[in-house]
Amino acid sequence: MNESLILQARNVQKDYKVRTRSGWGKVNFSAISDINLEVAAGETVCIVGESGCGKSTLARVLANLSPASQGKVLFHGQSIDALSGVDRKAMRKSVQFIFQDPYASLNPRLTLGQIIAEPLENFTHMSRTEQKERVALTLERVGLNAADANRRPKELSGGQRQRVGIARAIIADPEVIIADEAVSALDVSVKSQILNLLSDLQRERGMAYVFITHDVSVVRSIADRLVVMYLGRVMETGSAEEILARPRHPYTRMLLSAVPVPDPSRPMAMEVSHDEIPSALNPPQGCVFRTRCRLADEACKTRPPITIDAQGVATSCHHLDRVSEHVPAHQLQAPKHVVPVASNNLK
Ligand code: ADP
Ligand code: MG
């Protein structure tokens, strides 16, 4: 096994039970399925897709905040279902979360010092004095003042609250931070300050990030690897540089061309239509993207194969050859091999 792998998802599926429209029975639906991904030390994996595609669900399953319905999450190669108490605690220390709205996740009754010290309290044997010192250093590291330890969340701006969320996430030296829309609610200038802070911290401490966002500009600024999701499934995954330079999947092309929001007066990328987004409760059979894809035909009613090309980009589409028709010929690369979906892994 690759020693630097921290987290892996293997064919992960998460089902939810929801009430039917009539309000009588409940139905099961899969918010995410067939998810395969890896997070290695020091890298930033961006999970990107429109609202409702299952990003937060995946984040929670990866962090062991909710169990997978099928498949496995591995922490350093070990299934998280089988972790002993000690290893489970090690995982809780190593995998930290930053949320979109830190205010909702910061207890208003506690001081910033108490909030930030929580992981030290839970996962280390530091004395109160050592904790205070570490809190002061961490507050300063994230651009706040040591004296802020006595303030409370309600006294802070959105950007300052997000700095507190980051301080709490980094204080016990985690291996990976899962950031779920962590900068989505911030103004543009504050957003870039926070992204710079996160990049600096990563360079200093070598943490991995799983960065979840619907914002393509964020992806462009920080991603090493990309996982593009649509209706609970991975459409395309691989090196961010490769995918941003030459998106293979019609959905990725739509997502990247639709920055920041689709402009109805501008023609869309030719593969894509503006049709209504289907519901995760009742996804199309076969390729889930086919009802919005102009390349879709009969073949797309069956599940697409996963193609891994020479650059290692894996794409789930029946018509990659036709997507390529719209790419300048010198950029074309023949697929290296095609993995039938039955074998089911991106590796
Ligand atoms: P994203 O973070 O990409 O916006 P989510 O993971 O929050 O997407 O949601 C994926 C799908 O699962 C959505 O259709 C959402 O309504 C549904 N969902 C999320 N959480 C629950 C839950 N606890 N119970 C039932 N359905 C849920
Ligand atoms: Mg979400």
Side-chain angles (χ1 to χ4, degrees):
M1 195 200 101
N2 179 349
E3 285 297 317
S4 72
L5 284 183
I6 304 169
L7 287 173
Q8 288 168 270
R10 295 252 179 93
N11 300 326
V12 163
Q13 176 168 324
K14 176 75 187 179
D15 302 334
Y16 290 122
K17 261 200 172 71
V18 286
R19 215 163 266 291
T20 53
R21 263 200 203 150
S22 64
W24 295 101
K26 288 191 165 182
V27 288
N28 247 334
F29 83 101
S30 302
I32 53 174
S33 44
D34 281 332
I35 305 285
N36 287 281
L37 62 82
E38 294 178 344
V39 183
E43 71 171 349
T44 299
V45 179
C46 264
I47 299 175
V48 64
E50 292 158 301
S51 177
C53 73
K55 303 180 298 296
S56 296
T57 300
L58 175 58
R60 293 177 56 78
V61 171
L62 276 179
N64 205 10
L65 299 177
S66 83
S69 308
Q70 281 184 45
K72 271 186 188 166
V73 173
L74 310 181
F75 176 64
H76 288 290
Q78 237 190 314
S79 168
I80 59 176
D81 299 331
L83 292 179
S84 67
V86 174
D87 289 339
R88 195 169 294 271
K89 197 163 173 182
M91 180 177 175
R92 281 177 51 215
K93 173 174 183 285
S94 288
V95 182
Q96 292 289 319
F97 237 102
I98 309 176
F99 297 93
Q100 170 165 3
D101 179 2
Y103 197 59
S105 67
L106 303 179
N107 185 335
R109 286 191 295 272
L110 301 182
T111 64
L112 303 193
Q114 289 167 324
I115 290 169
I116 295 170
E118 219 169 60
L120 300 180
E121 190 74 32
N122 292 339
F123 305 122
T124 73
H125 301 292
M126 281 187 188
S127 68
R128 276 288 138 81
T129 318
E130 286 170 314
Q131 285 188 18
K132 279 199 169 141
E133 278 168 19
R134 180 75 82 97
V135 166
L137 286 174
T138 310
L139 277 167
E140 282 174 357
R141 182 61 200 89
V142 300
L144 297 167
N145 297 313
D148 290 333
N150 298 318
R151 299 171 76 189
R152 283 171 207 272
K154 68 169 189 288
E155 301 167 41
L156 307 181
S157 69
Q160 287 171 325
R161 290 200 296 257
Q162 203 48 293
R163 289 175 194 273
V164 173
I166 294 169
R168 179 174 58 184
I170 64 170
I171 197 163
D173 287 326
E175 293 179 277
V176 52
I177 291 181
I178 300 181
D180 190 1
E181 304 280 10
V183 296
S184 302
L186 303 175
D187 296 343
V188 175
S189 66
V190 180
K191 185 193 290 190
S192 58
Q193 287 167 17
I194 299 287
L195 287 174
N196 286 339
L197 170 63
L198 289 168
S199 311
D200 292 345
L201 289 169
Q202 188 176 49
R203 220 167 305 124
E204 279 168 35
R205 303 178 182 214
M207 288 165 299
Y209 291 139
V210 177
F211 216 93
I212 290 163
T213 184
H214 65 275
D215 180 344
V216 174
S217 69
V218 170
V219 173
R220 291 189 196 277
S221 69
I222 60 163
D224 296 315
R225 283 196 303 118
L226 265 187
V227 178
V228 180
M229 287 180 68
Y230 181 77
L231 281 190
R233 290 175 183 269
V234 176
M235 299 288 107
E236 177 162 10
T237 181
S239 134
E241 199 183 343
E242 276 293 333
I243 296 175
L244 292 171
R246 190 167 68 85
R248 278 75 163 161
H249 196 285
Y251 177 65
T252 317
R253 292 165 71 92
M254 184 197 87
L255 204 62
L256 296 179
S257 68
V259 183
V261 279
D263 173 358
S265 66
R266 231 184 40 189
M268 291 287 286
M270 64 180 298
E271 299 87 354
V272 175
S273 76
H274 269 305
D275 292 349
E276 210 174 288
I277 304 176
S279 152
L281 271 175
N282 191 13
Q285 289 283 309
C287 173
V288 289
F289 184 58
R290 72 183 163 85
T291 55
R292 291 171 80 194
C293 182
R294 294 232 170 106
L295 296 178
D297 59 16
E298 278 301 305
C300 304
K301 293 183 180 167
T302 60
R303 279 179 66 183
I306 295 169
T307 307
I308 304 175
D309 68 15
Q311 290 72 37
V313 175
T315 315
S316 174
C317 177
H318 279 288
H319 293 311
L320 279 185
D321 50 335
R322 287 169 56 199
V323 178
S324 308
E325 283 163 20
H326 311 301
V327 175
H330 67 273
Q331 288 184 12
L332 289 181
Q333 295 283 345
K336 197 162 79 179
H337 55 280
V338 175
V339 187
V341 163
S343 76
N344 225 349
N345 239 313
L346 293 187
K347 291 174 296 154

